[in-house]
Amino acid sequence: MRTSQYLLSTQKETPAEAEIVSHQLMLRAGMIRKLASGLYTWLPTGLKVLNKVAAIVREEMDRAGGVEVLMPVVQPADLWEESGRWDEYGPELLRVKDRHKRDFVLGPTHEEVITSLVRNEINSYKQLPVNLYQVQTKFRDEVRPRFGVMRGREFTMKDAYSFHLTDDCLGSTYQKMYDAYTRMFERMGLEFRAVIADSGAIGGSVSHEFHVLADSGEDAIAFSSGGNFAANVEMAAVPAPAPQQPSGTASSFVSNAGGVEAVCESEGIAHDRAVKLVVVSTEDDQGEKGHAVLVLRRDHTLNQVKAEKLDNVALPLQIASDDAAAEILGMPLNFVNPLDCPLPVIVDHSAAALADFVCGGGEVNSVQINANWPQAITSVDIRNAQAGDPSPDGDGELTIKRGIEVGHIFQLGDKYSKAMNCGVLNESGKHETLTMGCYGIGVSRIVAAAIEQNHDKFGVIWPDPIAPFKVALIPMNMHKSQRIKDAAEAIYAQLTELGIEVLFDDRKERPGVMFNDMELIGIPHSIVVGERNLDNQQVEYKNRRSGEKQLLDVEAVAAFVQQV
Amino acid sequence: MRTSQYLLSTQKETPAEAEIVSHQLMLRAGMIRKLASGLYTWLPTGLKVLNKVAAIVREEMDRAGGVEVLMPVVQPADLWEESGRWDEYGPELLRVKDRHKRDFVLGPTHEEVITSLVRNEINSYKQLPVNLYQVQTKFRDEVRPRFGVMRGREFTMKDAYSFHLTDDCLGSTYQKMYDAYTRMFERMGLEFRAVIADSGAIGGSVSHEFHVLADSGEDAIAFSSGGNFAANVEMAAVPAPAPQQPSGTASSFVSNAGGVEAVCESEGIAHDRAVKLVVVSTEDDQGEKGHAVLVLRRDHTLNQVKAEKLDNVALPLQIASDDAAAEILGMPLNFVNPLDCPLPVIVDHSAAALADFVCGGGEVNSVQINANWPQAITSVDIRNAQAGDPSPDGDGELTIKRGIEVGHIFQLGDKYSKAMNCGVLNESGKHETLTMGCYGIGVSRIVAAAIEQNHDKFGVIWPDPIAPFKVALIPMNMHKSQRIKDAAEAIYAQLTELGIEVLFDDRKERPGVMFNDMELIGIPHSIVVGERNLDNQQVEYKNRRSGEKQLLDVEAVAAFVQQV
C-alpha cells in the first residue's frame, strides 16, 4: 500500500478527550475516529488490525470444532421476554420499535437468539454437541462510554455458544475453548493470563477470564509464584493463616482515644495488628431484615464478591455509610468492640488469626489494646488477596498484576435452555433440557489492550501477527532523487510480490515526518532508503521494538524481511 | 468438515412462507433461518457462501484502489439533519433513542457518516482522490419484507464512496468501479449485465445497475443484439421509427362502437395500428394545475420514468383513473379523439409514426378508423422499450431479459458534499467542494440472486467460486463397512490436506438421504464411495451441474478434484 493512496490520518497532538494511552494512540495513529459517544469508525490502519485479530480468532475457533453462523444485530423482544432478560436487563439494553411499533433490541449478546435457533434445529442427541460462533457487531448503551474502543457502545465481539446433553460433555468443550483461547492470544503475541473468574450475572458455575496484562488494566489478578494459580482478585481464595499466640499481656482500654488508627500511631502498633469493621445489610429466609458486622484486619480490603456469598447477606451487597453505621450501633464504627457487639459478627480468617490486637473499646472515645478472640471463634474468607499472601494452591506466594479482560468463558448450565425450553430426545427417547457453555471475546477491545501492553513514548509497537503492515518502506527525499525512487520502488515490488504487507511512504514529506508517523503507527520493521547507504548498495533496517538498526545489502532485503 | 460436527439443517418440505425459489432453497438447504420479519440468521452453509462473495468483493475493491474502513451501524441523527435526509427519508429509516434520549438511526446507507469523516480527515487536494469502502450490516425497515434475504430488513452491503476535486477524476474512478464490479461478478461465475440506470432519489447524473440475470428478476432489462447496449427498461430510449405512409383511404367513423378494441377485432385491424390514451396531472411554472393526454400505440406500455421527465408533468406521476378521466374529458377515454381533444396531447414516437390508425371518434360510442395525424406533429419517447425494438445505439434489435439488481454505481456529484460542506483547499489554496461517487453491492442479495440463476428441481447448483464446499464426499453405508470408512477417510484426509473444502457426510443415513441433501445444498462436485466400485479400486464422481458421472481410480481422486 502506498501512503498516497491510503487514508493515513496521523495526528501529532494528543487529543484531550483521550484518557488512556491506547485511546490516545489509536486516535493519533489514525486507527479510529469518534462518530458519537461510544461510536467509532475504524479507519484503514485500525481495521487492518481488527481484521487480523478476527482472523486468528476464527481460525482457532474452527480448529477447535466451532461452526460459524451470523445472527442479526436487531432481535425481537419476545425472545428476551421468554428468557426473562427483557425485564432484568437495565438501560444498557437499547430497545427499539420498528415501523409497526413492534419491540426489538440491539443485541448486546445473543444467548436468546442462539437458544431459539438450537431448539428449532436440533432435535436429537445425535446432533450434539454443537458449538456455534459468530463475529458480530454488538451494542451496549453504556451510561458513560469511555477509553475509546475499550468501552464503546458499538463493538465487535466473537461470541460462541455450545450445547450439550451432559455436564461432562460441556466440560470437555469448555476445555477445548480454554485451549483455543490460549492459542489465540499466544498467536497474537500478547502477554496474557487465564484466571478463575466470578460468573456473576450471566449465571452458571465454572468460568475463566482471559486478561491481557498491562499496568493500566482495570482488573487486579492474583498469580502464584509457583505458576499454577491465577484468579481475578475478586475470586482468589485466601486460606486461613495459622493463629497467632497471645503473649499473655493483659488487655486494656485507652479512653479519650481518637480511634483505632490514632491509638496504633501513638502506641507504635502496626496496622496489621488492628481490625476494622464494616456494617452490611442482611435478610434471612423469613425475609427478616437486619445488619451484621464484618471484621477485617485493618490493612486488608473487603472482597464484595466473597461477602455476597455469605449466608443471609442482602443482595446486592449494601454497605452502611459511616453515619448509618453509627446510628445502627449507637456509636462511631471506630469505637465499636467486635468482642462485645449487639449485631452478629462475621470475622475474616486473617482478622480471626490475630492475637493481642487493637479494636474499638465499646464506647465512644474508647479503644481496646491487646484484645484477643474467645477460643472457639469461627472465621470466613471475605477479604481481597494481596501481594505476598500464600497461594491458595499452596505453591508459593501471590503476586498481583493488572489485566484487561478480553475474553470470558462460562459453563452456563441450563439458565437459558430451561427458560426457553431447549432440549432434545435422548438415547431413550426422553426429552432432556440441554446444558450450555458460552465463550466471548472482545475483538475490538483486544486491539486497544494490545496497545496498552505494547507501546512506548513514540507510539504503538505491534506484535508482528496483528500489525497493520509488516514493513514500513521509507525513502528519503524520493521526490528529489530518481535513484532513491528506483531503489524504493524495486524493494516495494519485490516485497509485495512475496505477499509481504508493506506501507510504502511515497508522500512528499520530510524524512522526520515519515519516521515519526511509521513509529507512531507501530509497524514492526522499517526499511529506510537513503543516498549515503545506497552508495554502498545498502539500506537501513530498523526494528521498532528493540530499536536495533542494521545495514542490509539491497539484494538481501527481501530474504531478511521474510525471515524476521 | 464432517456433517456430524456441522449444522446441516436441511429440510425436505418447501416452507409455505417462501414465495420464490431462492428463498425456498435457502431455507431447505439450511442456509438461513428467519428470526423475525425480514431478519435472518445465516446458518453455516449460507454464511460460507456469503463470506466467499464478500471476499471476492473485497479483493476486487482493493485491486481497484479502494481502501477499507468500518463505520458504525448506529449513526447520530444530527448528521442526517445536516444532509436533509432526517426529514426526507420515510419510515424505512429506523430511528432510535439512546438512554439519554438522543436521536440515532440504524444506517440504511452511510453517505452522511463518510462525508463527515472525509471533511474532517482530508484537507488538501494532495490527498485526493480517495475511495473508501466497507462491508457492513445495513438496516432498512421495509414495510413488507419478503423473498428472504432478497428483500430483508437487516442485510450485508458493500458500500464505497469516492471523493474528487473534479468530475473528470470522478469519471475515472467510476470507470474503475465499473470494471471492478464486472470482474467481481465474472469471478463469482454469474451471468450478469451492467445496464444504464435511473439515478432516482439518490441524485446525481450517471448511474449503472448490475443485474444478475434470472427469469424471476424484478427488473426488465433491454439488450441490443449487437451487444453494446444494455439498460434497465425504464431507461432504454426508443428512437422514433420512420413514419408510415397514409394509404389515402378516407377516414371514417364507426358509430354504436364498443370502443377501439372492439372495432379492431370486428374490422380485423391489428392492435399495433390503434392508439390508447392516458390522462396525467400537470402543473406549470406558475403552479397552475391541469391535465394532459398521453397517446401511445395500443400494444405499448407507458414508461413512468420517461413520463416524469416531460415538461409540466406533476411529480410524482399521477395517472387519472378511468372514471376520473371520463369526468375530465366528458366521455370514456376509449372514445376521446386525440386529433380533436380539449386537453394538451403528447404523442409517443411510435404512435406518431402511425398512418391509417384507429382511435376514439370524439363522442360516446364513436370510433374513428383510418385516422391520420396532421403533417407537423411532434412526438416524444414515453413508452417502454420492448423486444424487437431497434436498439438505441443503432446496432441491432432489443431483447428483454429479467434481472435482479445486485449492484448500483452512481456519480453522485455534490449533493452530500455541498449540504455538509465537505471540501479541500485546491492547488491555488482556494476552498472547493468535492464531487462524490458511490458504489453499492448487495452482498447478501447476491447469494439469493445466484440461486435464482443457478438451480434445478433438486436444489441449488453453485458456481464453484462461491460454493460453500467444493466437494461432497458421500460414503455409502460407511457405518457398516470398515472398507468404505477407510477409503472415505483416506480421500477426506488427502483432499483436506490440499486445502480443498470437502463436506464429508459421515452421518448414519441412507445413501438416498445423503445424495438428496448434497444435491439440495448444491455442492458442485460429489465423490461417492461404494462397495461395488471399491472392488475395482474406484469411486464415482458426479458433476452437480451437468449431471455427468464418471468412475475415478481411488488414487486419482485428488488430482482430478484439484483440476475440475
Side-chain angles (χ1 to χ4, degrees):
Chain A
M1 179 61 72
R2 293 166 192 271
T3 48
S4 60
Q5 288 163 18
Y6 191 67
L7 190 65
L8 201 63
S9 278
T10 50
Q11 291 176 355
K12 225 170 154 173
E13 305 302 326
T14 299
E17 74 196 81
E19 295 169 52
I20 60 171
V21 74
S22 59
H23 189 192
Q24 291 165 358
L25 288 177
M26 288 182 81
L27 290 170
R28 288 190 54 211
M31 294 182 65
I32 54 170
R33 283 297 176 264
K34 182 174 164 179
L35 176 63
S37 174
L39 302 179
Y40 289 87
T41 293
W42 289 80
L43 299 186
T45 303
L47 185 59
K48 278 176 186 290
V49 179
L50 186 72
N51 285 342
K52 290 201 175 178
V53 169
I56 292 173
V57 168
R58 282 194 168 99
E59 282 169 24
E60 293 302 335
M61 287 302 298
D62 291 342
R63 183 135 77 113
V67 177
E68 191 174 357
V69 298
L70 185 65
M71 293 176 270
V73 173
V74 176
Q75 308 177 5
D78 51 4
L79 290 180
W80 286 71
E81 278 159 5
E82 249 191 273
S83 74
R85 290 209 294 178
W86 178 255
D87 296 319
E88 277 170 29
Y89 223 106
E92 275 188 21
L93 181 66
L94 190 63
R95 294 149 212 254
V96 192
K97 278 190 197 295
D98 75 358
R99 67 193 291 160
H100 303 297
K101 305 290 173 226
R102 283 180 299 231
D103 285 314
F104 289 84
V105 306
L106 294 199
T109 163
H110 280 72
E111 279 84 1
E112 283 81 0
V113 177
I114 199 81
T115 306
S116 148
L117 181 79
V118 166
R119 77 175 159 189
N120 291 330
E121 300 304 321
I122 295 201
N123 313 304
S124 158
Y125 71 95
K126 289 185 201 160
Q127 297 167 276
L128 295 175
V130 65
N131 186 4
L132 301 172
Y133 79 92
Q134 66 174 349
V135 177
Q136 178 60 304
T137 302
K138 306 277 182 192
F139 196 93
R140 285 188 198 157
D141 202 0
E142 297 273 353
V143 62
R144 200 165 75 85
R146 59 192 184 282
F147 306 150
V149 298
M150 191 75 95
R151 192 174 293 280
R153 295 201 286 176
E154 186 174 320
F155 54 97
T156 304
M157 194 167 152
K158 187 283 295 174
D159 45 331
Y161 308 89
S162 69
F163 293 83
H164 313 264
L165 207 55
T166 67
D167 285 338
D168 269 6
C169 180
L170 166 58
S172 144
T173 295
Y174 185 86
Q175 185 59 45
K176 278 185 195 149
M177 284 295 98
Y178 184 100
D179 297 341
Y181 276 40
T182 302
R183 279 195 304 270
M184 286 173 203
F185 296 116
E186 276 170 4
R187 283 186 54 190
M188 290 174 204
L190 298 174
E191 200 190 343
F192 72 99
R193 288 304 289 262
V195 304
I196 300 163
D198 180 35
S199 6
I202 304 226
S205 45
V206 183
S207 136
H208 282 86
E209 289 167 1
F210 287 76
H211 285 260
V212 167
L213 301 184
D215 293 341
S216 58
E218 278 191 321
D219 288 289
I221 302 165
F223 299 88
S224 69
S225 51
N228 287 318
F229 176 83
N232 196 309
V233 158
E234 61 185 21
M235 284 296 288
V238 181
Q244 298 172 8
Q245 289 309 314
S247 65
T249 315
S251 176
S252 58
F253 291 81
V254 181
S255 52
N256 294 319
V260 172
E261 190 172 332
V263 170
C264 287
E265 294 294 326
S266 63
E267 301 287 324
I269 303 171
H271 283 244
D272 63 4
R273 295 210 28 236
V275 300
K276 64 179 173 189
L277 277 51
V278 176
V279 176
V280 297
S281 303
T282 57
E283 182 170 357
D284 70 13
D285 294 345
Q286 271 70 47
E288 183 104 14
K289 292 179 181 179
H291 295 93
V293 170
L294 311 184
V295 183
L296 295 155
R297 227 170 67 182
R298 203 159 178 85
D299 59 327
H300 288 156
T301 55
L302 178 67
N303 180 311
Q304 303 207 3
V305 173
K306 294 178 182 175
E308 288 193 339
K309 290 180 182 150
L310 293 172
D311 286 347
N312 293 352
V313 157
L315 297 179
L317 191 71
Q318 294 150 44
I319 297 174
S321 68
D322 283 354
D323 287 350
E327 188 151 325
I328 292 162
L329 287 156
M331 68 188 78
L333 216 41
N334 218 347
F335 302 114
V336 173
N337 189 322
L339 299 167
D340 179 21
C341 177
L343 293 179
V345 171
I346 301 166
V347 187
D348 178 66
H349 289 320
S350 302
L354 289 175
D356 304 334
F357 60 88
V358 184
C359 59
E363 51 189 69
V364 175
N365 293 340
S366 170
V367 166
Q368 183 176 4
I369 57 179
N370 291 319
N372 281 291
W373 299 106
Q375 285 295 341
I377 185 168
T378 60
S379 62
V380 291
D381 174 17
I382 50 171
R383 74 163 169 98
N384 284 318
Q386 62 186 33
D389 280 339
S391 173
D393 69 354
D395 191 10
E397 287 185 354
L398 292 183
T399 312
I400 309 286
K401 288 199 178 177
R402 308 297 302 178
I404 300 164
E405 186 194 330
V406 289
H408 203 159
I409 59 177
F410 294 90
Q411 296 192 16
L412 261 184
D414 61 5
K415 178 177 156 83
Y416 294 92
S417 47
K418 207 167 165 182
M420 297 182 67
N421 193 27
C422 175
V424 298
L425 298 183
N426 66 14
E427 284 202 52
S428 9
K430 258 185 60 181
H431 188 269
E432 253 183 84
T433 301
L434 299 185
T435 182
M436 283 174 69
C438 80
Y439 318 96
I441 281 197
V443 177
S444 33
R445 184 174 245 224
I446 286 174
V447 179
I451 295 175
E452 290 292 335
Q453 188 179 82
N454 298 277
H455 67 271
D456 62 14
K457 64 180 173 176
F458 303 112
V460 187
I461 306 174
W462 290 112
D464 279 50
I466 57 174
F469 298 93
K470 184 172 184 182
V471 176
L473 178 59
I474 308 173
M476 299 208 284
N477 302 312
M478 175 174 100
H479 297 273
K480 293 181 201 151
S481 157
Q482 188 63 35
R483 192 168 70 130
I484 300 278
K485 183 168 162 43
D486 291 346
E489 290 282 358
I491 292 171
Y492 181 59
Q494 228 181 348
L495 296 181
T496 306
E497 176 83 1
L498 290 167
I500 294 166
E501 292 166 297
V502 183
L503 184 59
F504 178 14
D505 201 346
D506 63 348
R507 292 175 297 167
K508 231 176 187 167
E509 289 284 6
R510 283 177 297 111
V513 171
M514 293 159 127
F515 293 145
N516 289 347
D517 275 347
M518 297 302 128
E519 292 217 312
L520 174 59
I521 295 173
I523 301 175
H525 310 282
S526 291
I527 301 289
V528 182
V529 185
E531 290 282 359
R532 212 163 29 157
N533 289 324
L534 264 194
D535 287 343
N536 306 318
Q537 291 299 306
Q538 288 187 315
V539 295
E540 188 184 80
Y541 163 79
K542 185 174 176 191
N543 185 292
R544 174 69 181 89
R545 191 173 289 270
S546 66
E548 169 226 345
K549 291 179 183 181
Q550 67 183 91
L551 291 175
L552 301 176
D553 290 343
V554 167
E555 63 266 35
V557 169
F560 179 85
V561 167
Q562 262 193 309
Q563 190 199 330
V564 289
Chain B
M1 180 61 71
R2 293 164 192 271
T3 48
S4 61
Q5 289 163 16
Y6 191 67
L7 190 66
L8 201 62
S9 278
T10 51
Q11 290 175 355
K12 225 169 154 174
E13 305 301 326
T14 299
E17 73 196 81
E19 296 168 51
I20 60 170
V21 73
S22 60
H23 189 192
Q24 291 165 358
L25 289 176
M26 288 182 82
L27 290 169
R28 288 189 54 211
M31 294 181 65
I32 54 171
R33 284 297 176 265
K34 182 174 163 179
L35 177 63
S37 174
L39 302 179
Y40 289 87
T41 292
W42 289 79
L43 299 186
T45 303
L47 185 59
K48 278 176 186 288
V49 179
L50 187 72
N51 285 343
K52 289 200 175 177
V53 169
I56 291 173
V57 168
R58 282 194 169 98
E59 282 169 25
E60 294 301 335
M61 287 303 298
D62 291 342
R63 183 136 75 113
V67 177
E68 191 175 358
V69 299
L70 184 65
M71 293 175 270
V73 173
V74 176
Q75 308 177 5
D78 51 4
L79 290 180
W80 286 71
E81 279 160 4
E82 249 190 273
S83 74
R85 290 209 296 177
W86 178 254
D87 296 319
E88 278 170 27
Y89 222 108
E92 276 188 23
L93 182 66
L94 190 63
R95 294 149 211 256
V96 192
K97 278 190 196 296
D98 75 357
R99 67 192 292 160
H100 302 299
K101 306 288 171 228
R102 283 180 299 228
D103 286 313
F104 290 84
V105 306
L106 294 198
T109 164
H110 280 72
E111 278 84 1
E112 282 81 359
V113 178
I114 199 80
T115 306
S116 147
L117 181 79
V118 166
R119 77 176 160 189
N120 291 331
E121 300 304 321
I122 296 203
N123 313 305
S124 158
Y125 70 96
K126 289 185 201 161
Q127 296 167 278
L128 295 175
V130 65
N131 186 4
L132 302 172
Y133 79 92
Q134 66 174 349
V135 178
Q136 176 62 303
T137 302
K138 305 277 182 192
F139 196 93
R140 285 187 198 158
D141 202 359
E142 297 274 354
V143 62
R144 200 166 75 86
R146 60 192 184 280
F147 307 149
V149 297
M150 192 75 94
R151 191 174 293 280
R153 296 201 285 177
E154 186 174 321
F155 54 95
T156 304
M157 194 167 154
K158 186 285 295 175
D159 46 330
Y161 308 89
S162 70
F163 293 82
H164 313 265
L165 206 55
T166 67
D167 286 336
D168 269 4
C169 180
L170 166 58
S172 145
T173 295
Y174 185 86
Q175 185 60 43
K176 277 185 197 152
M177 284 294 98
Y178 184 101
D179 297 341
Y181 275 40
T182 302
R183 279 195 304 270
M184 285 173 204
F185 295 117
E186 276 170 4
R187 282 187 56 190
M188 290 174 203
L190 298 175
E191 200 191 342
F192 72 97
R193 287 305 289 264
V195 303
I196 299 163
D198 180 36
S199 9
I202 303 225
S205 45
V206 182
S207 136
H208 283 85
E209 290 167 1
F210 287 77
H211 285 261
V212 167
L213 301 184
D215 293 339
S216 58
E218 279 191 321
D219 288 289
I221 302 165
F223 299 90
S224 69
S225 50
N228 287 318
F229 176 82
N232 196 311
V233 158
E234 60 185 21
M235 285 296 286
V238 180
Q244 299 171 6
Q245 288 309 314
S247 64
T249 314
S251 176
S252 60
F253 290 81
V254 180
S255 53
N256 294 319
V260 172
E261 189 170 334
V263 169
C264 288
E265 294 293 325
S266 63
E267 302 286 324
I269 303 171
H271 283 245
D272 63 4
R273 296 212 22 238
V275 301
K276 64 180 175 188
L277 277 52
V278 175
V279 176
V280 298
S281 303
T282 57
E283 182 171 356
D284 70 13
D285 294 347
Q286 271 71 46
E288 184 104 14
K289 290 179 183 180
H291 296 92
V293 170
L294 311 183
V295 183
L296 295 156
R297 226 170 68 182
R298 202 159 179 85
D299 59 328
H300 288 155
T301 55
L302 178 67
N303 181 311
Q304 304 206 5
V305 172
K306 293 178 183 176
E308 289 193 339
K309 291 181 181 151
L310 293 172
D311 285 350
N312 292 352
V313 157
L315 298 179
L317 191 69
Q318 295 150 43
I319 296 176
S321 67
D322 284 354
D323 288 351
E327 189 151 323
I328 292 162
L329 286 156
M331 68 188 78
L333 215 43
N334 218 347
F335 302 114
V336 173
N337 190 320
L339 300 166
D340 178 21
C341 176
L343 293 180
V345 171
I346 301 166
V347 187
D348 177 66
H349 288 319
S350 302
L354 288 176
D356 305 333
F357 60 88
V358 183
C359 60
E363 50 189 70
V364 174
N365 293 340
S366 171
V367 165
Q368 182 176 4
I369 56 179
N370 290 319
N372 282 291
W373 299 106
Q375 285 296 340
I377 184 166
T378 60
S379 61
V380 291
D381 174 17
I382 51 172
R383 73 164 171 98
N384 283 319
Q386 62 186 32
D389 280 339
S391 172
D393 68 354
D395 190 9
E397 287 186 353
L398 291 184
T399 310
I400 308 287
K401 289 199 178 177
R402 308 297 301 179
I404 300 164
E405 186 193 330
V406 289
H408 204 159
I409 59 177
F410 295 90
Q411 295 192 17
L412 261 184
D414 62 4
K415 178 178 156 83
Y416 295 91
S417 48
K418 206 166 165 182
M420 298 181 66
N421 193 25
C422 175
V424 299
L425 297 184
N426 66 13
E427 284 203 54
S428 7
K430 257 186 62 182
H431 188 270
E432 252 183 83
T433 300
L434 299 185
T435 182
M436 282 174 69
C438 80
Y439 318 96
I441 281 196
V443 176
S444 34
R445 186 173 242 225
I446 287 174
V447 179
I451 296 176
E452 290 291 336
Q453 186 180 84
N454 297 278
H455 68 271
D456 62 14
K457 64 180 173 177
F458 303 111
V460 186
I461 307 174
W462 289 113
D464 278 50
I466 57 174
F469 298 94
K470 183 172 184 182
V471 176
L473 179 58
I474 309 174
M476 299 208 283
N477 302 312
M478 176 173 99
H479 297 273
K480 292 181 200 151
S481 158
Q482 188 62 37
R483 193 167 68 130
I484 300 280
K485 185 168 161 44
D486 291 346
E489 290 283 358
I491 292 171
Y492 181 60
Q494 228 180 348
L495 296 181
T496 307
E497 175 82 3
L498 290 167
I500 295 166
E501 290 166 297
V502 183
L503 185 59
F504 178 13
D505 200 345
D506 64 347
R507 291 176 298 169
K508 232 176 187 166
E509 289 285 4
R510 282 178 298 109
V513 171
M514 293 157 127
F515 292 145
N516 290 347
D517 274 349
M518 296 304 126
E519 292 217 311
L520 175 59
I521 295 172
I523 300 175
H525 310 282
S526 290
I527 301 288
V528 182
V529 185
E531 290 282 1
R532 216 168 19 164
N533 289 325
L534 263 194
D535 285 343
N536 306 319
Q537 293 298 307
Q538 289 186 313
V539 295
E540 188 184 79
Y541 163 79
K542 186 174 176 192
N543 184 292
R544 175 69 182 90
R545 191 174 289 271
S546 67
E548 170 227 344
K549 291 179 182 181
Q550 68 184 92
L551 292 175
L552 301 175
D553 290 344
V554 166
E555 63 267 33
V557 169
F560 179 86
V561 167
Q562 262 192 308
Q563 190 198 332
V564 290

